[in-house]
Amino acid sequence: MQIQVNSDNHIQGSKRLEEWVRTTIESTLERYEEDLTRVEVHLRDENGDKPGPHDMRCQLEARPKGHQPISVTHKAASLELAIDGAAEKLEHALEHLFGKLRGKPRAAVVPFEPRARADVLLEEEFLENEQAAQNA
């Protein structure tokens, strides 16, 4: 699973930040590592230089193999809380996706037996005729 970290101009991108984000994402999504090709991380300071509540935003976009991308966003007061919250949301979304796929029953293959169906119809017709003959 490849992890790409992107940040806007207001968040100081560094090797240390990227390592920390990658470690957080890898540890949270460890059980889905074989099911994902890539996770894109987008970090953004919503208010720029102005302080404010819930102004840090983390958007995660996961690319499950053979499925449409899944995107989640979490806003929080700090970058750490935004990343942790988004990782948790993505884990739940993947759990939902793969849980549905693994839990989906496979359609039972019923062999086509035209002869058996014809026998049932003949039997029904015979029983109807017998009933009519007894009632007459």
Side-chain angles (χ1 to χ4, degrees):
M1 165 177 62
Q2 180 184 7
I3 299 175
Q4 294 178 326
V5 180
N6 306 299
S7 59
D8 72 359
N9 295 338
H10 299 287
I11 296 176
Q12 187 68 26
S14 66
K15 280 279 189 203
R16 188 170 178 203
L17 174 66
E18 284 186 32
E19 289 280 327
W20 175 66
V21 171
R22 279 194 180 99
T23 303
T24 301
I25 301 300
E26 284 173 350
S27 65
T28 305
L29 304 179
E30 182 177 10
R31 69 185 225 194
Y32 301 108
E33 185 175 355
E34 296 297 318
D35 299 316
L36 301 174
T37 58
R38 184 173 74 218
V39 176
E40 290 187 34
V41 181
H42 300 278
L43 305 173
R44 181 181 168 118
D45 185 347
E46 295 280 298
N47 296 338
D49 294 331
K50 299 177 274 182
H54 303 291
D55 67 337
M56 293 297 187
R57 178 177 152 226
C58 177
Q59 178 183 4
L60 299 177
E61 184 177 306
R63 308 283 175 123
K65 293 176 182 173
H67 299 283
Q68 293 294 317
I70 296 175
S71 180
V72 297
T73 302
H74 190 77
K75 292 181 183 180
S78 71
L79 199 53
E80 180 180 358
L81 292 174
I83 293 167
D84 287 342
E88 189 174 314
K89 283 182 179 180
L90 184 56
E91 180 183 26
H92 289 297
L94 291 170
E95 187 176 299
H96 181 74
L97 171 70
F98 291 117
K100 281 175 65 174
L101 292 174
R102 289 181 182 122
K104 191 179 273 190
R106 296 197 172 129
V109 177
V110 179
F112 179 68
E113 297 179 21
R115 206 173 161 93
R117 179 71 180 141
D119 289 345
V120 169
L121 292 174
L122 287 173
E123 182 181 358
E124 286 175 5
E125 184 181 350
F126 173 77
L127 291 174
E128 285 175 10
N129 290 338
E130 283 290 310
Q131 185 93 24
Q134 287 177 359
N135 291 338

